[in-house]
Amino acid sequence: MAKIIPFKAVRPTQDKVGLVTCRNYEDYSAAELAAWLNFNPYSFLHIINPAYANVQSISWDKRFKGVALKYKDFKNENIFIQEEEAVFYLYEIQTKTQSFTGIIAGTSVEDYQANRIKKHEDTLQYRVEMFKDYLHQTRFNTEPVLITYPDSNELNTWIQIKKKNRPLNQFSTTNKEKHTLWRIDTQNDIDWLEDHFETIPNLYIADGHHRSASAELLFEQDKDLNNPNLNYFMSFLIPESNVKIYEFNRIIRDLNGFSKEDFLEKIAENFEIISKEQELWKPQNKGEFGMYLDGIFYTLKYKKEIDNTSIKQQLDAQILYDTVLQPILEIGDLRNDERIAYISGKQSIISIKEKVDEGEFAVGFMLFPSNIEEIKAFADNDLIMPPKSTYIEPKFRSGLVVYEL
C-alpha cells in the first residue's frame, strides 16, 4: 500500500508566484542566470544561488548556509507564506504541446525503503551525500520526486472535478508555459485521496532518484530529532499515461582511431546501414538507430534477434552499448568517460548535426525513446537502466511549493 500525506507547505504569495518560481538552476546559461538575478529580486534563484558572483570560490558548507539564510529572508519579507493546515495540491503544467496534471504530496521514506516506491536508475553516492548535506543545512526542499501511479478512472474523474474549482495560483512563464495550482484542503478530500493511494501496491520513480535517496539518508542521520517531516519527502504524483519520455541521444568525440570506412565496416557486423544523405532522420521503431557521421545521416537496423528473455538486452540503449559504444569505441563508463556526451530527445537532431559539423564530436547516435512499461519492468525486477536512458517530463518549477524539514 502506498502512503501519502498532506503537509504544511510554504509557497509564494499569490501576487509574486510568477516572479518567484524558476526552472532548475542548472538549466540556465551564465548569461540567463545573471540577467534573472540582476533584474528580478523575487526570483527563487537568489535563494539557491546566494553568492552567484563568487559561487565557485566558496565551500559547499558556506553555500548551503547562505541558501538557508536567504530562504529565511524571503520568509521574513513575506515573499513566502506557510499553510496553516496540512494540505495536498493539484498542479497542472500546460506546454505548447502537452498538459500534465499531478498531485503534490508527501511520500513515505518507509515505502521507499520497503521498495513499495520502486527505482530504475542507479545513483552516485557523492551526489546523494551532497544533497543530503544540503537538506540538513537548509531544512527545506522545493524539488519533488516525480512519481508515477497506475491510471485510475476513479482518480482521473476526481481530479477533473477538482480542477473546475477556482485555482489558488495561475500564471504563465517566459517559456510560454501555463501553471495552475489548486489547494486540496477539505478533510473529506484529504481522507479520500489518502484512502485511494492505500489501494495502490506500488509507485514508480520517474525522475528524482538522487533526491529520494538523499531523503532516506537524511532520515537515517537525523531520525533521533523526532521530526515527523523527515519520515516523508515531497513528490509530484502523476498517472503513468501522462508522463512524457524522451530518449537521450549520444555524441562521441572520436572514432577510437578508426577511419570512417573501417568504422562503418565494424558497424555493419551488427546493423544494416542505410544512407539517408541529408535527411534529418530519427528512429521510428525499437531496434532502429540513427547515426550522423561525416555530413551524412544513416539508419542502423539491428540485424540480430533480440533476446526477449532478457529485460536488459531488449533495451535499445543497452543494444547500442553492447554492439558499438563498448566493443568498437571502447567507451566503458557511460557516466564518466569524457569522450561521450548526451543530448535529450527533446532537442532537435539539428543540434547533433551542428556539434559534429563543428568538429567537437565525430559521430552522433539517435535512439528510439523507451516507454513506461520498460521502466516498470526494470524496476519490478530490481534492475538498473543504463545511465542517460531517459529524459522525462514534466519538470517542476523550483520555489512553487516548499517542503520544510
Side-chain angles (χ1 to χ4, degrees), residues 50-76:
Y52 78 98
N54 62 338
V55 69
Q56 300 299 325
S57 63
I58 63 174
S59 67
W60 287 111
D61 182 69
K62 288 183 178 179
R63 183 177 178 182
F64 296 161
K65 288 178 179 177
V67 169
L69 289 172
K70 194 66 178 178
Y71 175 65
K72 288 180 180 178
D73 287 344
F74 268 50
K75 290 185 70 176
N76 291 335

PDB file of all heavy atoms in Angstrom, residues 50-76:
ATOM      1  N   PRO A  50      22.925  32.039  -3.573  1.00  0.00           N
ATOM      2  CA  PRO A  50      23.040  33.229  -2.726  1.00  0.00           C
ATOM      3  C   PRO A  50      24.320  34.026  -2.924  1.00  0.00           C
ATOM      4  O   PRO A  50      24.387  35.176  -2.541  1.00  0.00           O
ATOM      5  CB  PRO A  50      22.985  32.648  -1.306  1.00  0.00           C
ATOM      6  CG  PRO A  50      23.512  31.260  -1.461  1.00  0.00           C
ATOM      7  CD  PRO A  50      23.012  30.787  -2.793  1.00  0.00           C
ATOM      8  N   ALA A  51      25.322  33.407  -3.543  1.00  0.00           N
ATOM      9  CA  ALA A  51      26.583  34.125  -3.787  1.00  0.00           C
ATOM     10  C   ALA A  51      27.035  33.840  -5.207  1.00  0.00           C
ATOM     11  O   ALA A  51      28.159  33.437  -5.457  1.00  0.00           O
ATOM     12  CB  ALA A  51      27.643  33.688  -2.781  1.00  0.00           C
ATOM     13  N   TYR A  52      26.125  34.081  -6.155  1.00  0.00           N
ATOM     14  CA  TYR A  52      26.376  33.632  -7.528  1.00  0.00           C
ATOM     15  C   TYR A  52      27.614  34.263  -8.137  1.00  0.00           C
ATOM     16  O   TYR A  52      28.282  33.668  -8.981  1.00  0.00           O
ATOM     17  CB  TYR A  52      25.154  33.899  -8.402  1.00  0.00           C
ATOM     18  CG  TYR A  52      24.977  35.320  -8.869  1.00  0.00           C
ATOM     19  CD1 TYR A  52      25.401  35.711 -10.128  1.00  0.00           C
ATOM     20  CD2 TYR A  52      24.387  36.285  -8.043  1.00  0.00           C
ATOM     21  CE1 TYR A  52      25.229  37.016 -10.569  1.00  0.00           C
ATOM     22  CE2 TYR A  52      24.214  37.579  -8.482  1.00  0.00           C
ATOM     23  CZ  TYR A  52      24.630  37.951  -9.734  1.00  0.00           C
ATOM     24  OH  TYR A  52      24.466  39.229 -10.161  1.00  0.00           O
ATOM     25  N   ALA A  53      27.973  35.452  -7.712  1.00  0.00           N
ATOM     26  CA  ALA A  53      29.126  36.136  -8.313  1.00  0.00           C
ATOM     27  C   ALA A  53      30.424  35.415  -7.993  1.00  0.00           C
ATOM     28  O   ALA A  53      31.363  35.421  -8.778  1.00  0.00           O
ATOM     29  CB  ALA A  53      29.197  37.581  -7.826  1.00  0.00           C
ATOM     30  N   ASN A  54      30.493  34.760  -6.818  1.00  0.00           N
ATOM     31  CA  ASN A  54      31.718  34.051  -6.454  1.00  0.00           C
ATOM     32  C   ASN A  54      31.422  32.640  -5.988  1.00  0.00           C
ATOM     33  O   ASN A  54      32.077  32.098  -5.118  1.00  0.00           O
ATOM     34  CB  ASN A  54      32.471  34.808  -5.346  1.00  0.00           C
ATOM     35  CG  ASN A  54      31.663  34.919  -4.060  1.00  0.00           C
ATOM     36  OD1 ASN A  54      30.443  34.809  -4.093  1.00  0.00           O
ATOM     37  ND2 ASN A  54      32.340  35.135  -2.944  1.00  0.00           N
ATOM     38  N   VAL A  55      30.392  32.037  -6.608  1.00  0.00           N
ATOM     39  CA  VAL A  55      29.938  30.732  -6.144  1.00  0.00           C
ATOM     40  C   VAL A  55      31.031  29.674  -6.267  1.00  0.00           C
ATOM     41  O   VAL A  55      31.070  28.721  -5.491  1.00  0.00           O
ATOM     42  CB  VAL A  55      28.667  30.312  -6.919  1.00  0.00           C
ATOM     43  CG1 VAL A  55      28.968  30.015  -8.375  1.00  0.00           C
ATOM     44  CG2 VAL A  55      28.003  29.122  -6.254  1.00  0.00           C
ATOM     45  N   GLN A  56      31.923  29.832  -7.229  1.00  0.00           N
ATOM     46  CA  GLN A  56      32.977  28.830  -7.396  1.00  0.00           C
ATOM     47  C   GLN A  56      34.063  28.922  -6.336  1.00  0.00           C
ATOM     48  O   GLN A  56      34.833  27.995  -6.159  1.00  0.00           O
ATOM     49  CB  GLN A  56      33.609  28.974  -8.797  1.00  0.00           C
ATOM     50  CG  GLN A  56      32.631  28.798  -9.950  1.00  0.00           C
ATOM     51  CD  GLN A  56      31.984  27.435  -9.971  1.00  0.00           C
ATOM     52  OE1 GLN A  56      32.604  26.441  -9.615  1.00  0.00           O
ATOM     53  NE2 GLN A  56      30.720  27.379 -10.371  1.00  0.00           N
ATOM     54  N   SER A  57      34.091  30.026  -5.623  1.00  0.00           N
ATOM     55  CA  SER A  57      35.189  30.228  -4.663  1.00  0.00           C
ATOM     56  C   SER A  57      34.781  29.975  -3.220  1.00  0.00           C
ATOM     57  O   SER A  57      35.591  30.176  -2.328  1.00  0.00           O
ATOM     58  CB  SER A  57      35.734  31.658  -4.806  1.00  0.00           C
ATOM     59  OG  SER A  57      34.723  32.607  -4.487  1.00  0.00           O
ATOM     60  N   ILE A  58      33.541  29.548  -2.967  1.00  0.00           N
ATOM     61  CA  ILE A  58      33.127  29.276  -1.599  1.00  0.00           C
ATOM     62  C   ILE A  58      32.854  27.791  -1.431  1.00  0.00           C
ATOM     63  O   ILE A  58      32.560  27.076  -2.391  1.00  0.00           O
ATOM     64  CB  ILE A  58      31.869  30.087  -1.207  1.00  0.00           C
ATOM     65  CG1 ILE A  58      30.672  29.687  -2.067  1.00  0.00           C
ATOM     66  CG2 ILE A  58      32.134  31.582  -1.317  1.00  0.00           C
ATOM     67  CD1 ILE A  58      29.375  30.333  -1.636  1.00  0.00           C
ATOM     68  N   SER A  59      32.985  27.308  -0.219  1.00  0.00           N
ATOM     69  CA  SER A  59      32.777  25.892   0.056  1.00  0.00           C
ATOM     70  C   SER A  59      31.290  25.553  -0.023  1.00  0.00           C
ATOM     71  O   SER A  59      30.427  26.433   0.085  1.00  0.00           O
ATOM     72  CB  SER A  59      33.306  25.545   1.442  1.00  0.00           C
ATOM     73  OG  SER A  59      32.524  26.181   2.448  1.00  0.00           O
ATOM     74  N   TRP A  60      31.012  24.251  -0.194  1.00  0.00           N
ATOM     75  CA  TRP A  60      29.619  23.819  -0.220  1.00  0.00           C
ATOM     76  C   TRP A  60      28.938  24.132   1.104  1.00  0.00           C
ATOM     77  O   TRP A  60      27.775  24.530   1.138  1.00  0.00           O
ATOM     78  CB  TRP A  60      29.537  22.326  -0.521  1.00  0.00           C
ATOM     79  CG  TRP A  60      29.850  21.982  -1.942  1.00  0.00           C
ATOM     80  CD1 TRP A  60      30.939  21.319  -2.408  1.00  0.00           C
ATOM     81  CD2 TRP A  60      29.064  22.294  -3.096  1.00  0.00           C
ATOM     82  NE1 TRP A  60      30.887  21.202  -3.768  1.00  0.00           N
ATOM     83  CE2 TRP A  60      29.740  21.788  -4.221  1.00  0.00           C
ATOM     84  CE3 TRP A  60      27.849  22.953  -3.279  1.00  0.00           C
ATOM     85  CZ2 TRP A  60      29.238  21.913  -5.511  1.00  0.00           C
ATOM     86  CZ3 TRP A  60      27.351  23.087  -4.567  1.00  0.00           C
ATOM     87  CH2 TRP A  60      28.039  22.570  -5.671  1.00  0.00           C
ATOM     88  N   ASP A  61      29.663  23.963   2.209  1.00  0.00           N
ATOM     89  CA  ASP A  61      29.069  24.220   3.525  1.00  0.00           C
ATOM     90  C   ASP A  61      28.622  25.677   3.638  1.00  0.00           C
ATOM     91  O   ASP A  61      27.506  25.966   4.089  1.00  0.00           O
ATOM     92  CB  ASP A  61      30.087  23.880   4.617  1.00  0.00           C
ATOM     93  CG  ASP A  61      29.513  24.081   6.010  1.00  0.00           C
ATOM     94  OD1 ASP A  61      28.615  23.309   6.389  1.00  0.00           O
ATOM     95  OD2 ASP A  61      29.966  25.004   6.717  1.00  0.00           O
ATOM     96  N   LYS A  62      29.469  26.597   3.219  1.00  0.00           N
ATOM     97  CA  LYS A  62      29.113  28.021   3.279  1.00  0.00           C
ATOM     98  C   LYS A  62      27.975  28.339   2.318  1.00  0.00           C
ATOM     99  O   LYS A  62      27.090  29.149   2.621  1.00  0.00           O
ATOM    100  CB  LYS A  62      30.329  28.886   2.963  1.00  0.00           C
ATOM    101  CG  LYS A  62      31.383  28.918   4.068  1.00  0.00           C
ATOM    102  CD  LYS A  62      32.515  29.861   3.718  1.00  0.00           C
ATOM    103  CE  LYS A  62      33.539  29.935   4.849  1.00  0.00           C
ATOM    104  NZ  LYS A  62      34.659  30.829   4.507  1.00  0.00           N
ATOM    105  N   ARG A  63      27.993  27.681   1.178  1.00  0.00           N
ATOM    106  CA  ARG A  63      26.929  27.936   0.204  1.00  0.00           C
ATOM    107  C   ARG A  63      25.585  27.462   0.755  1.00  0.00           C
ATOM    108  O   ARG A  63      24.577  28.167   0.645  1.00  0.00           O
ATOM    109  CB  ARG A  63      27.239  27.231  -1.108  1.00  0.00           C
ATOM    110  CG  ARG A  63      26.209  27.522  -2.188  1.00  0.00           C
ATOM    111  CD  ARG A  63      26.577  26.878  -3.507  1.00  0.00           C
ATOM    112  NE  ARG A  63      25.560  27.140  -4.512  1.00  0.00           N
ATOM    113  CZ  ARG A  63      25.590  26.668  -5.753  1.00  0.00           C
ATOM    114  NH1 ARG A  63      26.593  25.902  -6.126  1.00  0.00           N
ATOM    115  NH2 ARG A  63      24.628  26.956  -6.610  1.00  0.00           N
ATOM    116  N   PHE A  64      25.562  26.278   1.368  1.00  0.00           N
ATOM    117  CA  PHE A  64      24.311  25.753   1.920  1.00  0.00           C
ATOM    118  C   PHE A  64      23.789  26.645   3.045  1.00  0.00           C
ATOM    119  O   PHE A  64      22.582  26.879   3.165  1.00  0.00           O
ATOM    120  CB  PHE A  64      24.504  24.333   2.431  1.00  0.00           C
ATOM    121  CG  PHE A  64      24.858  23.331   1.346  1.00  0.00           C
ATOM    122  CD1 PHE A  64      25.442  22.112   1.678  1.00  0.00           C
ATOM    123  CD2 PHE A  64      24.612  23.599   0.010  1.00  0.00           C
ATOM    124  CE1 PHE A  64      25.763  21.192   0.703  1.00  0.00           C
ATOM    125  CE2 PHE A  64      24.943  22.686  -0.981  1.00  0.00           C
ATOM    126  CZ  PHE A  64      25.521  21.475  -0.633  1.00  0.00           C
ATOM    127  N   LYS A  65      24.703  27.148   3.862  1.00  0.00           N
ATOM    128  CA  LYS A  65      24.282  28.059   4.932  1.00  0.00           C
ATOM    129  C   LYS A  65      23.729  29.360   4.347  1.00  0.00           C
ATOM    130  O   LYS A  65      22.769  29.936   4.875  1.00  0.00           O
ATOM    131  CB  LYS A  65      25.459  28.353   5.860  1.00  0.00           C
ATOM    132  CG  LYS A  65      25.843  27.164   6.742  1.00  0.00           C
ATOM    133  CD  LYS A  65      27.042  27.467   7.623  1.00  0.00           C
ATOM    134  CE  LYS A  65      27.377  26.269   8.515  1.00  0.00           C
ATOM    135  NZ  LYS A  65      28.589  26.500   9.334  1.00  0.00           N
ATOM    136  N   GLY A  66      24.333  29.807   3.246  1.00  0.00           N
ATOM    137  CA  GLY A  66      23.823  31.003   2.575  1.00  0.00           C
ATOM    138  C   GLY A  66      22.431  30.786   2.014  1.00  0.00           C
ATOM    139  O   GLY A  66      21.582  31.684   2.061  1.00  0.00           O
ATOM    140  N   VAL A  67      22.178  29.590   1.479  1.00  0.00           N
ATOM    141  CA  VAL A  67      20.842  29.248   0.976  1.00  0.00           C
ATOM    142  C   VAL A  67      19.825  29.326   2.108  1.00  0.00           C
ATOM    143  O   VAL A  67      18.736  29.916   1.961  1.00  0.00           O
ATOM    144  CB  VAL A  67      20.851  27.831   0.354  1.00  0.00           C
ATOM    145  CG1 VAL A  67      19.418  27.363   0.080  1.00  0.00           C
ATOM    146  CG2 VAL A  67      21.663  27.809  -0.932  1.00  0.00           C
ATOM    147  N   ALA A  68      20.185  28.748   3.267  1.00  0.00           N
ATOM    148  CA  ALA A  68      19.272  28.755   4.415  1.00  0.00           C
ATOM    149  C   ALA A  68      18.959  30.180   4.876  1.00  0.00           C
ATOM    150  O   ALA A  68      17.800  30.512   5.175  1.00  0.00           O
ATOM    151  CB  ALA A  68      19.879  27.950   5.563  1.00  0.00           C
ATOM    152  N   LEU A  69      19.979  31.021   4.904  1.00  0.00           N
ATOM    153  CA  LEU A  69      19.774  32.407   5.349  1.00  0.00           C
ATOM    154  C   LEU A  69      18.916  33.185   4.357  1.00  0.00           C
ATOM    155  O   LEU A  69      18.039  33.963   4.753  1.00  0.00           O
ATOM    156  CB  LEU A  69      21.128  33.099   5.541  1.00  0.00           C
ATOM    157  CG  LEU A  69      21.961  32.626   6.742  1.00  0.00           C
ATOM    158  CD1 LEU A  69      23.354  33.251   6.704  1.00  0.00           C
ATOM    159  CD2 LEU A  69      21.259  32.982   8.051  1.00  0.00           C
ATOM    160  N   LYS A  70      19.165  32.997   3.072  1.00  0.00           N
ATOM    161  CA  LYS A  70      18.388  33.719   2.066  1.00  0.00           C
ATOM    162  C   LYS A  70      16.937  33.258   2.078  1.00  0.00           C
ATOM    163  O   LYS A  70      16.010  34.062   1.894  1.00  0.00           O
ATOM    164  CB  LYS A  70      19.005  33.503   0.676  1.00  0.00           C
ATOM    165  CG  LYS A  70      18.491  34.471  -0.377  1.00  0.00           C
ATOM    166  CD  LYS A  70      18.912  35.901  -0.062  1.00  0.00           C
ATOM    167  CE  LYS A  70      18.446  36.868  -1.133  1.00  0.00           C
ATOM    168  NZ  LYS A  70      18.792  38.264  -0.817  1.00  0.00           N
ATOM    169  N   TYR A  71      16.722  31.970   2.316  1.00  0.00           N
ATOM    170  CA  TYR A  71      15.348  31.463   2.412  1.00  0.00           C
ATOM    171  C   TYR A  71      14.624  32.117   3.589  1.00  0.00           C
ATOM    172  O   TYR A  71      13.457  32.525   3.467  1.00  0.00           O
ATOM    173  CB  TYR A  71      15.392  29.941   2.571  1.00  0.00           C
ATOM    174  CG  TYR A  71      14.047  29.301   2.812  1.00  0.00           C
ATOM    175  CD1 TYR A  71      13.054  29.340   1.838  1.00  0.00           C
ATOM    176  CD2 TYR A  71      13.771  28.652   4.008  1.00  0.00           C
ATOM    177  CE1 TYR A  71      11.816  28.747   2.048  1.00  0.00           C
ATOM    178  CE2 TYR A  71      12.537  28.057   4.237  1.00  0.00           C
ATOM    179  CZ  TYR A  71      11.566  28.103   3.248  1.00  0.00           C
ATOM    180  OH  TYR A  71      10.340  27.519   3.478  1.00  0.00           O
ATOM    181  N   LYS A  72      15.303  32.254   4.710  1.00  0.00           N
ATOM    182  CA  LYS A  72      14.698  32.923   5.872  1.00  0.00           C
ATOM    183  C   LYS A  72      14.384  34.384   5.545  1.00  0.00           C
ATOM    184  O   LYS A  72      13.362  34.921   5.987  1.00  0.00           O
ATOM    185  CB  LYS A  72      15.631  32.823   7.076  1.00  0.00           C
ATOM    186  CG  LYS A  72      15.716  31.425   7.675  1.00  0.00           C
ATOM    187  CD  LYS A  72      16.646  31.384   8.867  1.00  0.00           C
ATOM    188  CE  LYS A  72      16.727  29.976   9.456  1.00  0.00           C
ATOM    189  NZ  LYS A  72      17.679  29.908  10.602  1.00  0.00           N
ATOM    190  N   ASP A  73      15.260  35.029   4.778  1.00  0.00           N
ATOM    191  CA  ASP A  73      14.997  36.417   4.373  1.00  0.00           C
ATOM    192  C   ASP A  73      13.697  36.505   3.568  1.00  0.00           C
ATOM    193  O   ASP A  73      12.873  37.408   3.786  1.00  0.00           O
ATOM    194  CB  ASP A  73      16.154  36.951   3.524  1.00  0.00           C
ATOM    195  CG  ASP A  73      17.402  37.241   4.348  1.00  0.00           C
ATOM    196  OD1 ASP A  73      17.297  37.315   5.587  1.00  0.00           O
ATOM    197  OD2 ASP A  73      18.484  37.386   3.742  1.00  0.00           O
ATOM    198  N   PHE A  74      13.506  35.582   2.630  1.00  0.00           N
ATOM    199  CA  PHE A  74      12.291  35.594   1.820  1.00  0.00           C
ATOM    200  C   PHE A  74      11.056  35.395   2.692  1.00  0.00           C
ATOM    201  O   PHE A  74      10.012  36.009   2.455  1.00  0.00           O
ATOM    202  CB  PHE A  74      12.365  34.505   0.743  1.00  0.00           C
ATOM    203  CG  PHE A  74      12.931  34.979  -0.573  1.00  0.00           C
ATOM    204  CD1 PHE A  74      14.133  35.679  -0.625  1.00  0.00           C
ATOM    205  CD2 PHE A  74      12.278  34.721  -1.775  1.00  0.00           C
ATOM    206  CE1 PHE A  74      14.668  36.111  -1.836  1.00  0.00           C
ATOM    207  CE2 PHE A  74      12.798  35.147  -2.989  1.00  0.00           C
ATOM    208  CZ  PHE A  74      13.996  35.848  -3.020  1.00  0.00           C
ATOM    209  N   LYS A  75      11.165  34.559   3.711  1.00  0.00           N
ATOM    210  CA  LYS A  75      10.030  34.347   4.604  1.00  0.00           C
ATOM    211  C   LYS A  75       9.787  35.590   5.466  1.00  0.00           C
ATOM    212  O   LYS A  75       8.633  36.003   5.663  1.00  0.00           O
ATOM    213  CB  LYS A  75      10.274  33.129   5.497  1.00  0.00           C
ATOM    214  CG  LYS A  75      10.239  31.801   4.754  1.00  0.00           C
ATOM    215  CD  LYS A  75      10.375  30.611   5.690  1.00  0.00           C
ATOM    216  CE  LYS A  75       9.135  30.428   6.543  1.00  0.00           C
ATOM    217  NZ  LYS A  75       9.223  29.216   7.395  1.00  0.00           N
ATOM    218  N   ASN A  76      10.854  36.179   5.952  1.00  0.00           N
ATOM    219  CA  ASN A  76      10.714  37.376   6.793  1.00  0.00           C
ATOM    220  C   ASN A  76      10.133  38.546   6.012  1.00  0.00           C
ATOM    221  O   ASN A  76       9.453  39.416   6.580  1.00  0.00           O
ATOM    222  CB  ASN A  76      12.063  37.765   7.394  1.00  0.00           C
ATOM    223  CG  ASN A  76      12.548  36.771   8.436  1.00  0.00           C
ATOM    224  OD1 ASN A  76      11.751  36.062   9.052  1.00  0.00           O
ATOM    225  ND2 ASN A  76      13.859  36.701   8.640  1.00  0.00           N
TER     226      ASN A  76
END
